[in-house]
Amino acid sequence: MKNESDSSRLLDAYFDGTLDESSRELLEQLLRSEPSVRAEFWNAARLDSALADKCQAAQTREAHPVTHRLRAVLSLAAALTLGAMLGYFLNPGSTTPDTGNNADPMAESHPKTVRESDAAPAGFIRETFDAVWSGTPAYARGAPVAQDASLKLRSGSVSLLLLDGSTVEFTGPGKIQLATPNRMTVMEGLALIQTPGDLEGEFHISVPGGTLGLVDGAVRLRAGANGRWEADALDGGFKWVPTDVLDAASRTWIDEGMRLDFDGATASSVAIPAQEMEMAGSSEDTAGSQTAERLAQWRLDSSRLAQDDPSLLVHFRFDDETAAKDALLNENRSGHASREGVVIGARWTVGRWPGKKALAFQNSGDRVRLGVPGTHPEVTLAAWVALDELQRPFNGLFFSEWGIEGEIHWQLGDAADFRFGQRPLRESAVAGPGYFHRVWSQPNLESMRSGRVWNLLVTTIDTKNRKVIHYVNGKLIAENTLPESIPVRFGAATLGNCSYPAPDVWGPRPLDGLMDEFMLFTRILSHREIEQLFREGNPG
Amino acid sequence: MHCGDDHVNQLFVEHADLVRRFIRALVRDRERAADVFQETYLTMLRKSDDYKPGTSFPKWVCAIARFKVMEAFREHRRLPGSLSPDVIEMLAGESTAHMEDPRLDRLEDCLRRLSGSMLRLLRHRYQEDLKTSQIAERMNWTPNAVSVGLSRARAQLRQCINNPGPNT
């Protein structure tokens, strides 16, 4: 009796070329005796061939951006006269230039030089603050930092999030090296290292003369090029283990409020001057003045936005201290859309700057509900988001009410690609059940990675000209065409999740990350305006 | 020159993918498969008068390809990676062998639903044409894990292709 999983497994091995002798005999036995297995063989062959075609087409598109039909039509006269031999692959090739309308999921989009292996990095660059790098590589926001990577700053600061949950604020000029997610070396510069309360084990910081061991707290380290350094225990204490010490008894514990001063030969501990402890303040004091300034400026710029632009129908700034815990205030008080969004499940947390709030959409029911009446031929959607793992195939940004005419889905795929969809008109020809018009972009892994990096996502929807354009951080990512001209309607809309009524494979679709600002304009913003939005809201 | 030859030639071009797929499924050695494909084309041209317009061209040309596949097996006895000649002949005679599957139009959509690691596996396998052992080395997995991963990816694709669901 045929075992279905046996035949599938054997057929997979056959097409992958890993069939051993005994398995081949078993497969042949099944093929001889079972017509259903022979039919399964051809289904598997078709899928195998389709996958090969898809990948070769993707590879061709990557190699030849200006594409043309590569299907060779041999004339009989040429074949007979020249005795031309037909090449094995007539190469279906590509058809039209891929602007992202049917962006190929098999196409590699991120540069291969960013990371050569699939090994996990030590961490990610969370933010940069006027960073000027010395030599290579120059890390951008969101970039992974490989284990054993060196970071050399000529000036400015960077904030790193390590995979063990620790954060490092590094200010140049200086050089640090990340060995693993919980081990680093500070050669020169100013580094503020903070470990989470649930850190397993210690965070080790190698310095000239020994190692500091941090368990739960914050240490500020200033290291000079001459091998001298001082380490301040700002929050909690740390352990000091000189290089030449073998026994545990000689290790020193430095209490909170104390400074360990290394003069190149020996280390001694003194109290941190009170004035310097006051200046330390919060754990992000290294870049604290910069972030506070930026937050203040953003508050000023963004409060003007709703006042100056009546097309900004919905503006959630996530910043109103007076709002109820389960409400999101709409800066547009005209009443043309909900005055407040109703927060369901999503948890309040920290946004782009300390003191700025955000909502975390992580659980299946997390969402904000709001009403946006009307029919809109032109729409711009914008959101500041910081994404986590994007494990789901669909991660919801903003959805219209389910089932209405003009319904749109604004969401990301698990490769951080935009997956914008619109419900077709009922009277249109529908290509199969559940068909939605789609304008999907290429993957955006380079811009949008996990690690809680903040990005501005913008999509403009021009239904009159059937154009949908996607932007990330002010840069145009994809320009696509909608098959039909259908004005957008939102109705009872959902932010941070889908509006699909029942949980199944198609929903729910929580964002899997944080959002700290959302804007809905009833016009198309220009590229310049989107760049300005990014400049004004950029935390780094 | 026969007046129907251009038409048959055009039909072959239109169905070349299907013919290639038919041959590659049975002849796993790439070089041999290329030879069989060329032989099939030339034989088809020579016999173009035998094709009756209005009948199934895929069925007709795959019958030629089947003959050429068996010829290759007779010449070489056992081709690397392929099955025994009697099984090949049986498979080549299957009625579904020369059919297209319109559900594969959903393949691109279904690929988007795969996880990043599954997509990486498929890229290594189909785009870079790596063997299982090479993929294992590249991804720091065991060869068995790669085989299982590829099987799971295909199973997920088949399920998605057969069950498109209500929306995007």
Side-chain angles (χ1 to χ4, degrees):
Chain A
M1 180 174 297
K2 176 180 80 88
N3 182 314
E4 280 190 15
S5 64
D6 278 348
S7 58
S8 292
R9 180 179 54 82
L10 290 168
L11 286 170
D12 280 342
Y14 170 77
F15 284 104
D16 285 338
T18 58
L19 212 57
D20 59 34
E21 192 56 32
S22 61
S23 297
R24 188 183 61 77
E25 282 175 12
L26 180 56
L27 176 61
E28 289 187 344
Q29 198 178 324
L30 287 170
L31 288 167
R32 286 188 187 104
S33 59
E34 303 282 345
S36 59
V37 178
R38 293 196 291 275
E40 194 183 343
F41 174 93
W42 285 111
N43 283 337
R46 279 184 279 268
L47 177 61
D48 189 71
S49 177
L51 284 168
D53 286 346
K54 181 130 284 298
C55 291
Q56 283 158 28
Q59 198 168 41
T60 301
R61 273 196 289 275
E62 286 169 23
H64 303 287
V66 178
T67 58
H68 19 256
R69 280 197 94 84
L70 294 178
R71 199 178 287 277
V73 180
L74 293 178
S75 72
L76 177 63
L80 290 178
T81 305
L82 302 176
M85 301 296 284
L86 186 70
Y88 176 62
F89 286 108
L90 291 185
N91 196 349
S94 178
T95 54
T96 54
D98 185 358
T99 60
N101 197 27
N102 290 303
D104 197 313
M106 296 307 293
E108 293 270 17
S109 71
H110 53 277
K112 287 184 174 20
T113 55
V114 169
R115 209 163 69 192
E116 291 300 323
S117 77
D118 285 310
F124 294 89
I125 301 290
R126 193 167 61 169
E127 299 295 351
T128 64
F129 303 94
D130 304 319
V132 176
W133 296 92
S134 174
T136 57
Y139 292 92
R141 284 170 72 240
V145 181
Q147 298 191 27
D148 292 323
S150 291
L151 286 80
K152 297 177 216 168
L153 274 176
R154 195 170 290 164
S155 62
S157 307
V158 294
S159 174
L160 294 108
L161 177 65
L162 305 185
L163 290 194
D164 72 340
S166 303
T167 59
V168 178
E169 312 278 350
F170 168 47
T171 301
K175 179 180 170 185
I176 63 173
Q177 186 176 29
L178 296 185
T180 63
N182 67 346
R183 188 177 287 274
M184 65 181 289
T185 301
V186 177
M187 290 89 146
E188 187 189 345
L190 175 62
L192 175 68
I193 300 111
Q194 185 179 13
T195 56
D198 56 354
L199 180 72
E200 286 186 24
E202 285 182 6
F203 188 94
H204 298 275
I205 307 161
S206 295
V207 285
T211 305
L212 310 178
L214 195 61
V215 175
D216 169 18
V219 66
R220 179 177 56 204
L221 193 59
R222 285 193 193 88
N226 53 7
R228 299 175 69 123
W229 52 266
E230 56 187 29
D232 295 340
L234 297 178
D235 181 20
F238 62 84
K239 188 168 61 183
W240 162 240
V241 183
T243 308
D244 53 359
V245 160
L246 296 174
D247 61 296
S250 299
R251 295 170 191 178
T252 312
W253 180 257
I254 309 298
D255 284 325
E256 180 178 323
M258 298 298 288
R259 169 178 290 166
L260 190 68
D261 197 330
F262 185 77
D263 62 7
T266 54
S268 55
S269 64
V270 295
I272 301 172
Q275 185 186 359
E276 287 187 46
M277 274 302 283
E278 280 174 16
M279 284 170 64
S282 74
S283 60
E284 283 154 318
D285 71 325
T286 303
S289 60
Q290 292 168 314
T291 57
E293 266 180 45
R294 282 196 161 90
L295 174 58
Q297 188 61 48
W298 170 80
R299 281 184 168 139
L300 192 62
D301 293 336
S302 64
S303 64
R304 281 201 297 253
L305 211 53
Q307 289 164 25
D308 295 346
D309 190 343
S311 78
L312 182 48
L313 192 58
V314 178
H315 188 192
F316 291 142
R317 296 200 304 155
F318 295 65
D319 201 40
D320 191 332
E321 291 293 334
T322 61
K325 197 177 167 194
D326 57 358
L328 209 52
L329 195 69
N330 182 2
E331 298 295 324
N332 183 322
R333 315 288 167 90
S334 65
H336 295 308
S338 292
R339 290 177 185 273
E340 284 178 349
V342 178
V343 178
I344 301 167
R347 180 178 51 86
W348 286 103
T349 183
V350 177
R352 274 169 281 167
W353 305 278
K356 167 88 179 64
K357 291 196 287 186
L359 280 174
F361 299 89
Q362 281 150 340
N363 300 312
S364 59
D366 294 350
R367 63 190 69 217
V368 173
R369 300 304 306 272
L370 65 152
V372 186
T375 304
H376 309 282
E378 293 181 355
V379 172
T380 298
L381 301 171
W384 277 96
V385 300
L387 302 167
D388 285 333
E389 292 300 319
L390 291 179
Q391 297 275 8
R392 298 183 181 88
F394 298 102
N395 302 271
L397 289 163
F398 188 63
F399 278 67
S400 297
E401 179 179 334
W402 180 259
I404 61 172
E405 195 167 285
E407 172 189 356
I408 59 118
H409 297 178
W410 191 43
Q411 58 196 338
L412 296 174
D414 60 1
D417 48 319
F418 283 100
R419 296 191 174 181
F420 179 85
Q422 186 172 37
R423 183 178 290 277
L425 290 173
R426 290 190 186 89
E427 59 267 31
S428 304
V430 174
Y435 171 79
F436 254 62
H437 293 320
R438 288 177 177 170
V439 280
W440 289 10
S441 77
Q442 294 279 4
N444 293 306
L445 290 171
E446 194 181 327
S447 305
M448 297 190 284
R449 300 196 71 107
S450 59
R452 296 287 173 90
V453 177
W454 287 97
N455 295 277
L456 175 65
L457 309 183
V458 178
T459 294
T460 62
I461 308 148
D462 179 354
T463 65
K464 280 188 276 199
N465 296 305
R466 296 188 291 122
K467 281 282 170 227
V468 175
I469 306 178
H470 302 293
Y471 301 81
V472 175
N473 297 333
K475 289 197 177 81
L476 193 153
I477 296 296
E479 183 168 345
N480 309 121
T481 305
L482 277 165
E484 285 187 277
S485 173
I486 309 169
V488 177
R489 291 177 63 214
F490 299 105
T494 305
L495 185 66
N497 208 324
C498 72
S499 304
Y500 191 57
D504 67 1
V505 66
W506 299 103
R509 304 180 189 181
L511 176 60
D512 196 16
L514 314 183
M515 185 184 294
D516 84 345
E517 191 173 3
F518 174 72
M519 291 166 270
L520 190 162
F521 295 84
T522 54
R523 65 178 178 90
I524 305 297
L525 262 63
S526 67
H527 194 164
R528 184 172 292 190
E529 287 176 306
I530 293 168
E531 283 175 333
Q532 187 179 355
L533 269 185
F534 173 67
R535 273 197 306 274
E536 287 175 357
N538 185 14
Chain B
M1 191 164 85
H2 302 276
C3 57
D5 289 347
D6 278 351
H7 175 58
V8 169
N9 189 66
Q10 181 59 37
L11 282 172
F12 184 87
V13 169
E14 284 172 17
H15 293 92
D17 286 347
L18 183 148
V19 177
R20 175 167 51 89
R21 186 182 314 149
F22 176 88
I23 294 168
R24 274 291 283 141
L26 303 172
V27 182
R28 300 306 292 163
D29 182 271
R30 199 177 280 273
E31 296 299 323
R32 291 279 172 268
D35 291 342
V36 171
F37 185 80
Q38 292 167 12
E39 292 290 322
T40 301
Y41 174 71
L42 292 173
T43 304
M44 183 230 41
L45 286 178
R46 281 197 296 273
K47 291 176 174 289
S48 59
D49 274 353
D50 294 351
Y51 170 66
K52 293 178 180 50
T55 62
S56 167
F57 181 83
K59 189 175 176 182
W60 180 75
V61 74
C62 283
I64 298 175
R66 174 186 172 183
F67 182 76
K68 289 297 169 188
V69 166
M70 298 318 301
E71 227 175 44
F73 274 96
R74 277 193 293 276
E75 252 178 73
H76 301 283
R77 298 203 61 177
R78 168 63 63 84
L79 295 174
S82 290
L83 301 166
S84 299
D86 68 298
V87 177
I88 294 290
E89 180 139 39
M90 201 178 260
L91 285 168
E94 280 288 302
S95 58
T96 55
H98 57 266
M99 287 181 182
E100 299 277 14
D101 187 347
R103 291 174 299 180
L104 284 171
D105 290 344
R106 294 185 209 122
L107 180 60
E108 187 160 333
D109 296 344
C110 292
L111 280 166
R112 291 174 201 283
R113 296 196 179 115
L114 295 183
S115 67
S117 59
M118 277 185 180
L119 277 177
R120 275 198 300 278
L121 272 176
L122 292 175
R123 273 193 212 111
H124 288 322
R125 164 72 177 81
Y126 290 103
Q127 194 170 46
E128 297 170 51
D129 206 20
L130 297 179
K131 296 191 174 99
T132 303
S133 55
Q134 292 170 317
I135 298 172
E137 205 178 302
R138 185 74 68 92
M139 295 187 67
N140 203 24
W141 290 13
T142 64
N144 187 55
V146 169
S147 295
V148 168
L150 284 169
S151 289
R152 282 191 185 141
R154 291 189 194 109
Q156 212 168 307
L157 285 172
R158 276 193 287 270
Q159 195 186 16
C160 173
I161 285 162
N162 293 332
N163 300 290
N167 73 346
T168 61

